[in-house]
Amino acid sequence: MTNVKTPLVLQKIGYETAEKPILADLSLSLAENQIYTVIGPSGAGKTTLLRILAGLITPTTGEMTLAQQPYRPSQHRIALVPQDYGLLPWQTAQQAVIDAVKTSRQQKKLTDVELAEVRQLFKDMELVKENQRYPNQLSGGQKQRVAIARAFACESELLLMDEPFSALDALTREKAQALFLSNWLKRPTRTLFITHDVTEALLVGHQVIVMEKEPGRIKEILPSPVTDKSQLEDDRTSQEPFETAAYLRGQLS
Ligand SMILES: Nc1ncnc2c1ncn2[C@@H]1O[C@H](COP(=O)(O)OP(=O)(O)OP(=O)(O)O)[C@@H](O)[C@H]1O
């Protein structure tokens, strides 16, 4: 599948456990090559939504479609960057990325062209010196960049990121946002990006999905005033995102 310019549509999605409803009546349309950031209070079901899109759990009610066909996650190339980066202790940074490409393309070996692409990705993600290191030899910021490099390398149709920058200090986080966006612009894909940081949601996302809880549902979807994602450093100091951030904080309180 697919390069079709078509939205991934969720209609009236609900998810409940034996204990309680977790998501209710959630409808959403995710366009191709757009970044959707998701914010909301703890327990609003943000990770549950991501897990549904990844195919890790199945919604109790509602339907999901892509190109008017039922959306079955197992039939699509989906990249997931979890909160803890999901790196394996026995794999170097380079092995992690190469193995992910092999798995996603169902190949035993990469071609010279594909290996050159991986090397370029390491350059783009500023990881050249770290490529032979194991996770315990990498800083948090470096591990997180390896996890993102691995996700980009898979050329996924859907990129799912669960608070990827939450463990980073403020300056490393700003650098990671810029690096992520510059790489995303080179390799754009439909992206859902969970964050607790309202400013990050506006800077990184084209659209901000605001969720509320008990049960988890969408409260509002707001276009980000930051439309040019290549100008992040200018946007950090401009007034407009700050005004929208103040509004969003009000929505969350
Ligand atoms: N398998 C499960 N069984 C029971 N309850 C669950 C299960 N998965 C999630 N929950 C509950 O569903 C609710 C939503 O959880 P979820 O992790 O999706 O929220 P979240 O918005 O991502 O929260 P946070 O911001 O704290 O990460 C929580 O109350 C959680 O305890």
Side-chain angles (χ1 to χ4, degrees):
M1 219 251 16
T2 69
N3 267 327
V4 275
K5 293 216 173 301
T6 184
L8 170 56
V9 178
L10 279 65
Q11 274 179 313
K12 293 185 176 294
I13 292 295
Y15 181 76
E16 56 185 63
T17 63
E19 291 159 36
K20 60 176 180 177
I22 295 181
L23 290 178
D25 203 22
L26 189 148
S27 296
L28 181 61
S29 178
L30 302 171
E32 238 190 326
N33 297 352
Q34 290 278 294
I35 303 173
Y36 296 84
T37 42
V38 186
I39 57 172
S42 183
K46 302 180 293 296
T47 300
T48 303
L49 169 62
L50 181 141
R51 296 182 74 213
I52 286 174
L53 287 167
L56 297 172
I57 52 175
T58 307
T60 326
T61 54
E63 62 176 39
M64 303 192 280
T65 55
L66 184 64
Q68 282 87 48
Q69 300 298 315
Y71 167 69
R72 298 207 173 82
S74 61
Q75 293 173 359
H76 300 279
R77 208 181 275 176
I78 299 170
L80 173 64
V81 180
Q83 281 179 32
D84 63 0
Y85 315 128
L87 301 178
L88 302 170
W90 57 85
Q91 274 186 333
T92 64
Q94 186 168 287
Q95 282 165 347
V97 173
I98 287 178
D99 273 18
V101 179
K102 282 191 208 161
T103 306
S104 76
R105 297 188 191 169
Q106 299 179 340
Q107 292 172 206
K108 287 211 166 101
K109 219 175 153 216
L110 299 199
T111 63
D112 288 347
V113 173
E114 288 167 332
L115 284 170
E117 283 167 7
V118 169
R119 278 196 294 275
Q120 183 60 45
L121 191 54
F122 272 81
K123 272 192 206 151
D124 292 346
M125 293 302 291
E126 301 178 8
L127 282 167
V128 173
K129 279 193 266 169
E130 288 75 24
N131 68 355
Q132 295 306 325
R133 292 199 193 159
Y134 292 91
N136 68 357
Q137 300 169 316
L138 297 168
S139 71
Q142 289 164 345
K143 279 191 265 205
Q144 172 265 337
R145 295 209 300 280
V146 175
I148 293 176
R150 183 177 56 181
F152 280 132
C154 296
E155 293 180 335
S156 61
E157 299 161 55
L158 178 63
L159 173 58
L160 301 170
M161 305 179 77
D162 195 355
E163 297 186 47
F165 306 145
S166 62
L168 305 180
D169 66 79
L171 275 181
T172 312
R173 184 173 189 144
E174 287 189 4
K175 198 176 164 214
Q177 291 163 353
L179 204 54
F180 165 70
L181 281 175
S182 62
N183 275 280
W184 186 91
L185 288 166
K186 281 173 113 181
R187 308 166 178 89
T189 187
R190 191 185 334 254
T191 302
L192 193 88
F193 181 118
I194 298 176
T195 178
H196 272 114
D197 184 316
V198 166
T199 307
E200 180 169 277
L202 289 166
L203 290 174
V204 172
H206 296 104
Q207 304 275 334
V208 181
I209 300 169
V210 184
M211 292 186 67
E212 58 189 351
K213 64 179 195 178
E214 287 173 0
R217 61 176 84 216
I218 292 176
K219 186 174 190 185
E220 182 176 2
I221 301 177
L222 195 85
S224 169
V226 183
T227 47
D228 183 354
K229 300 300 179 188
S230 64
Q231 302 293 329
L232 204 57
E233 296 320 310
D234 296 345
D235 290 321
R236 278 189 208 288
T237 50
S238 75
Q239 191 57 27
E240 209 181 356
F242 284 97
E243 285 167 7
T244 315
Y247 167 77
L248 280 176
R249 280 193 194 96
Q251 290 295 86
L252 291 175
S253 58

